[in-house]
Amino acid sequence: MSNLVKAIRIEKNGGPEVLQLVQIEVPAPGDNEVTIRQHAAGLNFIDIYFRDGLYKNPLPHGLGFEGAGEVTAVGKAVTRFKVGDRVAYGQSPIGGYAQARNVPAAQVVKLPDGISFEEAAAMMLKGLTVQYLLRQTYRIKEGETILFHAAAGGVGLIACQWAAALGVKVIGTASSPEKAALAKAHGAWEVIDYSKENVVERVLELTGGKKVPVVYDGVGKDTWMTSLDCLQPRGLMVSYGNASGAVEGVNLGILAAKGSLYVTRPTLAVHVNTPEKMQAAADELFEMVLAKKIKIRIDQRYPLEQAGEAQAALAARKTTGATIFTLN
Ligand SMILES: NC(=O)c1ccc[n+]([C@@H]2O[C@H](COP(=O)([O-])OP(=O)(O)OC[C@H]3O[C@@H](n4cnc5c(N)ncnc54)[C@H](OP(=O)(O)O)[C@@H]3O)[C@@H](O)[C@H]2O)c1
């Protein structure tokens, strides 16, 4: 293989049109890196935040944090991997949209034989996120009822299945009857169409007036207030994303007024910031997938040339489940 590979790069922030398909030279891996020939890479909403400038990185830069493939070279200090290993990652320096790249070995895990490269590229970032949300940020318990927004999305469909496997009732939200049906088919107990229905009233009804102990909210701005109103006293608001825009200008008094609520704004990076934490979270995720308790649903596949279209579809709420780029 030549060291020259296709990759996506941006030189300025903006819409999907700023994505450029370029040829890049993949250098020899650094001492603590591995070179991965990627078979597939994942698309995530965070890629859009970095493209449009909501999240900042010095320009120019690549895009993407999730991928899977084979190790083709290892750095001098790397002991956990060898050439030919099947591997995947869901946190990395920015630049996953590429046919090959170098990634710090500390962020990479070996892929079990029963999981394909495509599944891995669709689930590492999203599945590890669900692992920490449901098992660390708030450890959901059998018999509980929780609210999870955007339940038919990439993160959402994994969350519905994981929670159902733990005996937890998920009240999901979605913006169409088709998306609601999909979330239900993946384990959601009930799904509210938040484009039409009153979420707070429906949550009160479904929980017999009790509301929920935790809300997982990746939608952000549009659902912030609704989410707080669905929480029991001393409940936890997990605001983990901004699909509709960032939550800003919050007066802390609102948490008092709505029942001594807790709020957290977590990131995956902090939860998997050592090889041990990464491996432990990945092991739990792999176990769920290998046991077929979680099926990784890839509803959109694109070549790298169409990265702009892929991002536009995700931003326009036209996708369900995961989107991947097929690469080699
Ligand atoms: N903090 C973390 O560690 C972390 C890690 C991974 C992901 N995330 C966040 O998790 C969320 C889901 O990520 P994902 O990649 O799996 O995306 P996704 O859920 O597949 O796509 C986003 C979904 O959000 C819903 N949405 C509501 N309002 C929207 C709007 N104004 N514009 C676009 N979408 C809107 C849409 O579903 P409906 O049409 O059903 O409303 C859409 O399909 C994102 O906010 C992402 O940033 C956070």
Side-chain angles (χ1 to χ4, degrees):
M1 192 185 72
S2 133
N3 280 350
L4 224 48
V5 300
K6 284 193 254 179
I8 294 291
R9 188 178 60 187
I10 66 168
E11 288 177 357
K12 57 179 182 191
N13 295 121
E17 69 284 352
V18 302
L19 268 55
Q20 298 174 354
L21 185 70
V22 293
Q23 296 270 333
I24 56 162
E25 177 83 26
V26 181
D31 286 357
N32 293 298
E33 291 180 331
V34 293
T35 305
I36 304 174
R37 178 172 186 264
Q38 303 205 114
H39 289 274
L43 169 64
N44 290 281
F45 223 95
I46 192 170
D47 307 339
I48 296 172
Y49 308 144
F50 275 103
R51 187 203 70 212
D52 68 21
L54 176 67
Y55 295 176
K56 310 271 183 230
N57 196 71
L59 291 157
H61 60 75
L63 284 177
F65 298 99
E66 183 177 42
E70 282 158 67
V71 173
T72 56
V74 295
K76 276 193 249 143
V78 173
T79 53
R80 289 167 56 234
F81 299 100
K82 59 180 188 324
V83 170
D85 281 348
R86 300 174 74 250
V87 295
Y89 61 88
Q91 277 293 288
S92 69
I94 201 160
Y97 295 10
Q99 287 179 307
R101 65 175 307 209
N102 294 328
V103 181
Q107 294 179 313
V108 176
V109 292
K110 281 195 190 145
L111 198 56
D113 286 340
I115 299 177
S116 71
F117 291 125
E118 292 201 350
E119 284 173 311
M123 73 182 216
M124 290 299 294
L125 195 155
K126 299 163 194 76
L128 291 172
T129 297
V130 173
Q131 194 282 335
Y132 88 73
L133 290 175
L134 303 188
R135 307 276 297 149
Q136 299 187 52
T137 302
Y138 177 97
R139 238 175 127 83
I140 57 170
K141 292 171 286 298
E142 188 174 355
E144 283 180 321
T145 303
I146 66 170
L147 178 61
F148 205 106
H149 287 299
V155 171
L157 286 184
I158 297 175
C160 289
Q161 296 175 83
W162 201 318
L166 294 173
V168 171
K169 288 180 174 173
V170 173
I171 302 175
T173 59
S175 68
S176 72
E178 295 75 22
K179 286 188 173 188
L182 188 68
K184 271 193 154 181
H186 287 78
W189 171 57
E190 291 287 347
V191 180
I192 303 170
D193 183 338
Y194 56 3
S195 68
K196 294 193 188 75
E197 296 177 88
N198 182 311
V199 175
V200 181
E201 276 173 20
R202 289 283 289 129
V203 166
L204 277 167
E205 229 171 78
L206 290 166
T207 58
K210 284 203 206 126
K211 304 194 195 177
V212 295
V214 61
V215 177
Y216 294 101
D217 189 337
V219 172
K221 196 174 177 181
D222 288 358
T223 43
W224 166 254
M225 209 51 101
T226 304
S227 295
L228 297 183
D229 282 328
C230 291
L231 282 166
Q232 295 168 0
R234 305 188 64 213
L236 176 64
M237 165 67 171
V238 185
S239 177
Y240 71 98
N242 335 277
S244 68
V247 177
E248 283 168 359
V250 174
N251 174 348
L252 280 184
I254 195 88
L255 302 178
K258 294 194 181 287
S260 298
L261 302 179
Y262 295 84
V263 65
T264 182
R265 176 62 181 85
T267 61
L268 172 59
V270 168
H271 292 80
V272 291
N273 61 2
T274 65
E276 294 74 24
K277 284 193 236 170
M278 172 63 81
Q279 193 63 56
D283 284 347
E284 255 200 43
L285 172 63
F286 292 157
E287 199 182 308
M288 296 298 284
V289 174
L290 291 169
K292 305 208 181 313
K293 291 180 182 163
I294 295 176
K295 185 176 174 329
I296 302 304
R297 191 161 162 121
I298 303 168
D299 284 335
Q300 300 77 216
R301 286 181 170 78
Y302 291 89
L304 217 42
E305 287 75 5
Q306 289 174 18
E309 281 102 309
Q311 289 199 345
L314 182 63
R317 305 167 87 157
K318 288 185 182 148
T319 65
T320 49
T323 302
I324 59 164
F325 298 110
T326 48
L327 297 171
N328 282 299

